[in-house]
Amino acid sequence: MIFYAAFLRGINVGGHRKLPMAELRTAMEDAGFSAVATYLASGNLVFAADHHDRAALTSTIEDLIATNWGYDDVPVVLRTHSELEKAYETSPHRDSGVDPKWRFLALLSEAPSEAAVGNIDLEALNPDVFTIDGDHAHVLLPHGAAKSKLTTTYLEKHLGVIATMRNHNTIENVLTMFPA
């Protein structure tokens, strides 16, 4: 068995695209996944699968959401424990002194091209900053998210990849959900 964390983009945010986590756990188990656990209502789950074809796993979860809830546009990004832990531990913002709820890990569907990253006007985002590390972006919003331009939608538009962001508090809690 291989354990994964799945991060669903745009679920249960602002009262839109409601997807009850208990129902998602049941649907995942009915689809053959095991040890399914969720964290918060915003689409964070850990599960075990008997194979490691990520494209197939991602497609199965996306199809399951479309079939059961009618949301055919909910991207899913998967990470193993070691991938998620490494991304979190290598964050250049971990010890920044900024509240962990304003330090984010953006999980990307794939590494963006260097050209896409190079075309972003970092000065226009000031004081918000981000760095790309493969298929992750480390995001720091020192004044909070409310007025920031550096959103998931911004990253997707400018990097040309699917992105979903979680703050460091959430990442820490998801990491504890994996079996020891």
Side-chain angles (χ1 to χ4, degrees):
M1 286 287 175
I2 300 162
F3 282 85
Y4 291 94
F7 299 93
L8 286 55
R9 185 184 186 308
I11 289 298
N12 298 331
V13 178
H16 302 302
R17 299 200 319 183
K18 293 185 179 186
L19 198 161
M21 292 296 102
E23 291 177 23
L24 177 61
R25 283 191 304 273
T26 300
M28 291 279 292
E29 290 165 353
D30 291 348
F33 297 103
S34 59
V36 181
T38 57
Y39 177 71
L40 298 176
S42 55
N44 310 294
L45 58 144
V46 171
F47 65 92
D50 58 5
H51 63 87
H52 47 269
D53 180 342
R54 285 182 196 232
L57 292 170
T58 299
S59 180
T60 298
I61 297 168
E62 289 172 350
D63 291 347
L64 184 130
I65 293 167
T67 300
N68 287 287
W69 291 276
Y71 306 135
D72 60 359
D73 60 344
V74 175
V76 175
V77 178
L78 299 180
R79 294 293 185 267
T80 64
H81 181 269
S82 62
E83 292 165 341
L84 188 61
E85 184 175 56
K86 180 181 177 192
Y88 171 72
E89 299 220 351
T90 60
S91 171
H93 311 302
R94 264 186 73 201
D95 299 319
S96 68
V98 173
D99 190 315
K101 70 181 177 184
W102 304 126
R103 296 179 299 198
F104 293 87
L105 180 62
L107 303 123
L108 310 176
S109 58
E110 61 187 286
S113 71
E114 288 182 30
V117 175
N119 285 332
I120 295 176
D121 180 5
L122 297 175
E123 285 299 314
L125 298 172
N126 194 20
D128 302 331
V129 295
F130 77 97
T131 57
I132 299 293
D133 182 14
D135 57 1
H136 298 98
H138 301 285
V139 178
L140 183 68
L141 309 177
H143 300 298
K147 294 181 181 180
S148 177
K149 295 178 190 176
L150 191 49
T151 64
T152 301
T153 302
Y154 180 94
L155 290 173
E156 287 183 333
K157 177 181 175 186
H158 289 82
L159 298 177
V161 298
I162 292 168
T164 187
M165 281 202 284
R166 301 297 189 274
N167 71 28
H168 279 198
N169 289 333
T170 297
I171 296 296
E172 287 175 4
N173 283 299
V174 170
L175 282 166
T176 68
M177 294 170 57
F178 284 88

